[in-house]
Amino acid sequence: MCIRFSSVAAQQNEKWQSDGAIYPRCTWLGGELLGRLARWCVASSKRELRSTLSLVSIGRYSVLYQELKEKYRDMVRVWPEVTDPEKFVYEDVAIASYLLILWEEERAERGVSTPQSFVDLGCGNGLLVHILCNEGHPGRGIDVRRRKIWDMYGPHTQLEENAITPSAQTLFPAADWLIGNHSDELTPWIPVIAARSSYHCRFFVLPCCFFDFAGRFCRRQSRKTQYREYLDFIREVGEACGFHMEEDCLRIPSTKRVCLIGKSRTYPPAEEAGVDERRTWYLHSRRGLSGGGPLCPAPQAAACSSDHPDGDRTGGTGAQCDLEVSEAQAEGLWLPGFQPREKVERVRNCASLPRDFIDQVVLQVADLLLNRRKSHAGSPREGTCKAWNGGGPVHLGALGILGLGVSLCRTLLRDSKKGPCLRTESLSLAEVAWQLDRATLRRLKHECGGLQTLLRNSRQVFEVLDGRVHIRDWRRELQREKHPEAKRGPSSEAFKTRICWFFTHHPDGCVLPSTSCPFAHGPQELRPPRPPKKKRQVP
Ligand SMILES: C[S@@+](CC[C@H](N)C(=O)[O-])C[C@H]1O[C@@H](n2cnc3c(N)ncnc32)[C@H](O)[C@@H]1O
Ligand SMILES: [Zn+2]
Ligand SMILES: [Zn+2]
């Protein structure tokens, strides 16, 4: 079977429209599916995660998802953020569809017709809030950092820029549901905030990064995956807060697809005080269990926050000692140590890393993609060779890192000789990371935002598409003229102002002749860079 050919056929015959979520891209079908199938075949039959959409009617969900996808597809065109519009728009459409069906079924169960209200904590771009409001649910979103796109939604989509520090001031007694959609450090707090907001408040969280109440989540045991262990922790928090916890798996492109839902309580309203004592006890039992400070430490400015989201701030009157006593008591209910992240994200764009460190990582990754062990630098050439190496076929080692059994790898490789199906010109970011040493990865994470940022910033050499790294083929770039450098002909100011990486380092040299390559083939071609007339992004 050749997946690549069948996916192309699908594209031609069925007017295939990829949305990256329900209908995958052809590149994914061609480059990924076979490997995944193989992995799934040998994977342990013991399921760690629930099957998809087990708490809602799949039929109703699918119809609504298609409808909303159509309705909000224009968002992809006008998306002003730097993030991938397709991934974000269709992911939020999928999450909104899920919540809308969940809530519709809840109204039917309860015999009510009033649409549920909600607050989305850590709402990011706010699209989920926008869709839910548009579909008739009163609600709002809160995030420590406002986004450009917020201005595009119009006045009916309420989004607030505020840092949430879990406390008695960040309760939402009027909300039916609290949402934490990939809400990072707020995730473990959402069941607590929901439980204390009102007896009727429910919550939905879709955990992503692993945070405890006051810092990183530290795993206790290695039998489970870290993800499973974290999900179990959030379930435990929900149960300690007095919720019946339910789990489901969403149909979204993200790798973190499992949501946890607290729809009802395990105790009657009269027992609220006793249960709250248990909640407090549970919070304190987690003291010291997190891994040091939070990922994004920030000054403790919001501890007695003047910018809490409800705007119903207390304090400022009465004797100072009364205030201190009540603050101490309140702090007892809310584990201290949570630090909301900074409003302005630290720019981590590799500029602070030394050039030779960056060059060494670039070489190492290029070597991996070109399937060779050592750099062949030293004999620069122009590539007249037709079979210019743009990244080699998968070899046994690479399949090994995918976690495939050796015999299965052999079978796949044997089959791959019959056709081009298993040839790959890319590696996933995880595969690349696997090959780099820990110190390099740690340094990248700290100083430049990670491996992906470095590779994306090294645009002359790499192309990162759908989480996979490719060697950039400049023949295609010139055809597409999409890459800013590719638009720069000899008359452009940037033409030949940087050395061609391929000319210097690629074993086959540069795939382009010197006359059409926008980069310098040797120092003799190098032109001094001129300051740009107006501000523009340099790749
Ligand atoms: C991973 S992003 C997810 C954004 C959005 N929910 C989504 O899925 O696209 C986490 C968001 O939580 C916000 N956030 C984290 N801690 C926060 C806090 N203490 N108060 C308000 N927002 C916070 C961040 O600014 C960020 O936008
Ligand atoms: Zn996250
Ligand atoms: Zn070149």
Side-chain angles (χ1 to χ4, degrees), residues 181-185 187 206-211 256 341:
N181 166 20
H182 287 170
S183 40
D184 289 354
E185 51 271 51
T187 304
L206 185 57
C208 55
C209 311
F210 309 138
F211 286 97
K256 304 287 161 39
R341 63 173 70 175

Side-chain angles (χ1 to χ4, degrees), residues 130-167:
H130 177 66
I131 300 176
L132 294 173
C133 288
N134 234 12
E135 299 308 311
H137 289 270
R140 62 195 166 117
I142 301 168
D143 201 286
V144 65
R145 190 163 61 83
R146 74 173 289 115
R147 310 291 208 272
K148 280 184 240 138
I149 199 173
W150 287 13
D151 299 327
M152 292 173 53
Y153 295 130
H156 298 299
T157 303
Q158 267 191 56
L159 299 165
E160 297 162 22
E161 187 181 52
N162 262 317
I164 297 165
T165 302
S167 70

